[in-house]
Structures are given as structure tokens and as C-alpha cells.
Amino acid sequence: MTDRELLNAVIGNEIVPSSDVVILLEGDGFSRLPTTARLYNEGVAKQICFSGGIVNLDYGSFPFEMYQDKLSEYNLKSSDFVLELSSQHTFQQAEEIFKLAEIHNWQTIILVASPFHQLRAFLTFLKVMKLKGLNLGIFNCPAENLAWFKENPWGRRIDLIKDEIGKIEIYAEKGHCCTYLEGLEYQKWKEGNYIKK
């Protein structure tokens, strides 16, 4: 197996311990909200942060304002959220989240993206954390129970995987993503330091 295949398997099914905050990464419509709400309502995460400032409905980037009518379905309210509404792409999301981490003293964060995006999100957050000289626990909990072959306005999730792999390669050349091997090494370190099972 390649490092990419190994890392993708690991982040798709890792142990997620109690953490300071769950980060709902904007994108893929409202599909990431149920998993985020579950983690918060079950007490796995102490806080919720919505991250993203893009408004592009055709691409599935819905602004936080559009979530207002959905929150009550998941026993949430706007005041439950810390908002990060300035970022325009994943690298900026990571930069802004780590600024908030310093303000709120977050030491452990859970990233919620869609499964097709989770790998790039994780590698980007890991890269920014390293660039900032920080040492946090970054955990992955991809949005659950999503259809892979459903036609969405922004594409089928099964097809979006290919786009994400291409983006990882492009962004790695720019220094915006860690390598797959770095991701695996971090996962091993993290499991040894945060997981007691």
C-alpha cells in the first residue's frame, strides 16, 4: 500500500478523544453539520467552530447565515458557535483556526470535513501547525453517512476524490500541505500521546 492509502485509511477511522473544539469546515452543503452536532451534543467536543467565509452555493459553500434554520434540528443555536468567517480556502482556514486556538487555549481540535476532503484538510492543518511551531492534537472525524454516488450541484463525492488528490499534489509543491509520510508519522505520535486505549 502507498503512504496515501495508509493515511487515508487511518484518518477515516481514528479514535477521537474528548477535545476542546470541533471544527465544521465549510463546504459540501450542510452535510457536515450532523456529525459536528453529534460530537458537541455527546460532549466529545467542548466548543464548536464554524470555519469558512466563501459564498458559492453552486460549489456547496454555504455561509453560516444559511445554517440558522437548520441548527434547531440538531439541538444547536448560533451562540454555541465560535465563528471564523474570513477564510477563503483550506490553508487560510488552518491559519485562522490556529489563531483562535491561541485565543481560546485549544489544545485538541477535531476536524469535520467530507470524506473526500478530509485528507487534504488534515495535511493542510498539519502543515500550518508545523509552520507556526505549535504542537496540538488534530483529530479527524469525517462527516458520516454520506452518499458517494449522489449527484450534487457541486459533483458526486466519488468523483471529487480525484480532484482532491490533484489538489494535494499541487498544494504540496507550494508548501501548503504536509507529505503523506509526515501525516502518518504525526498520526503515530498522536496515538501514542493522546490515546490511552
Side-chain angles (χ1 to χ4, degrees):
M1 292 183 76
T2 65
D3 288 342
R4 184 184 80 201
E5 290 168 332
L6 287 169
L7 181 58
N8 210 32
V10 170
I11 69 168
N13 188 34
E14 71 174 276
I15 297 168
V16 178
S18 294
S19 299
D20 294 320
V21 64
V22 55
I23 312 295
L24 192 168
L25 296 172
E26 178 188 31
D28 202 8
F30 298 113
S31 65
R32 300 167 185 176
L33 180 59
T35 300
T36 301
R38 179 185 65 76
L39 292 167
Y40 179 70
N41 290 331
E42 292 178 359
V44 179
K46 298 172 191 168
Q47 290 185 286
I48 309 175
C49 178
F50 178 92
S51 177
I54 300 174
V55 179
N56 186 339
L57 306 189
D58 292 337
Y59 192 64
S61 295
F62 298 174
F64 185 73
E65 292 76 18
M66 289 182 65
Y67 281 73
Q68 303 299 320
D69 294 335
K70 293 268 185 190
L71 296 182
S72 61
E73 295 176 30
Y74 300 97
N75 298 314
L76 298 175
K77 51 190 181 300
S78 296
S79 60
D80 290 328
F81 287 79
V82 174
L83 299 178
E84 182 286 293
L85 304 177
S86 62
S87 60
Q88 297 296 300
H89 50 74
T90 309
F91 192 84
Q92 282 184 355
Q93 284 179 306
E95 289 181 315
E96 295 303 318
I97 291 301
F98 286 119
K99 288 178 189 175
L100 288 171
E102 294 187 75
I103 293 168
H104 294 278
N105 196 31
W106 296 334
Q107 297 300 310
T108 48
I109 66 174
I110 305 168
L111 297 179
V112 176
S114 299
F116 67 83
H117 177 55
Q118 192 76 39
L119 181 59
R120 181 164 65 89
F122 167 67
L123 290 173
T124 302
F125 271 71
L126 182 58
K127 182 67 173 186
V128 172
M129 184 180 77
K130 287 174 174 270
L131 289 172
K132 290 182 169 288
L134 300 174
N135 196 23
L136 282 70
I138 305 171
F139 296 90
N140 295 282
C141 189
E144 302 154 334
N145 301 318
L146 301 184
W148 281 101
F149 297 91
K150 177 184 175 186
E151 293 286 354
N152 294 300
W154 46 93
R156 301 187 313 165
R157 294 184 182 99
I158 194 72
D159 298 323
L160 293 171
I161 291 175
K162 298 172 191 171
D163 295 339
E164 288 294 314
I165 298 305
K167 288 177 181 179
I168 289 172
E169 293 170 1
I170 292 167
Y171 296 151
E173 290 177 5
K174 294 180 179 180
H176 287 188
C177 284
C178 278
T179 65
Y180 301 120
L181 180 57
E182 287 174 314
L184 283 168
E185 290 170 345
Y186 174 77
Q187 289 292 94
K188 182 179 178 183
W189 171 86
K190 185 179 64 178
E191 189 169 304
N193 284 274
Y194 285 97
I195 306 303
K196 306 303 180 193
K197 294 182 180 180

